[in-house]
Amino acid sequence: MTPRAAAWIRPLIVIAAVAALALVFVAYTQPSLMQHLADQLWACF
């Protein structure tokens, strides 16, 4: 891998991680979504 290509990998990983954390935060601010996911998980057992 070239140094130029390697220089792009770390920022992309950081951006992807921040985006995933932001999506999780938004999901937790909607109680109905969390209740729906909990009900789906509970239905598995």
Side-chain angles (χ1 to χ4, degrees), residues 19-42:
L21 290 173
L23 287 174
V24 169
F25 176 76
V26 169
Y28 272 99
T29 61
Q30 298 178 2
S32 61
L33 176 64
M34 298 284 46
Q35 181 68 41
H36 181 68
L37 292 175
D39 289 341
Q40 286 182 339
L41 180 65
W42 188 252

Side-chain angles (χ1 to χ4, degrees), residues 4-23:
R4 182 172 282 206
W8 281 98
I9 291 174
R10 184 175 293 268
L12 288 178
I13 290 172
V14 170
I15 290 170
V18 169
L21 290 173
L23 287 174

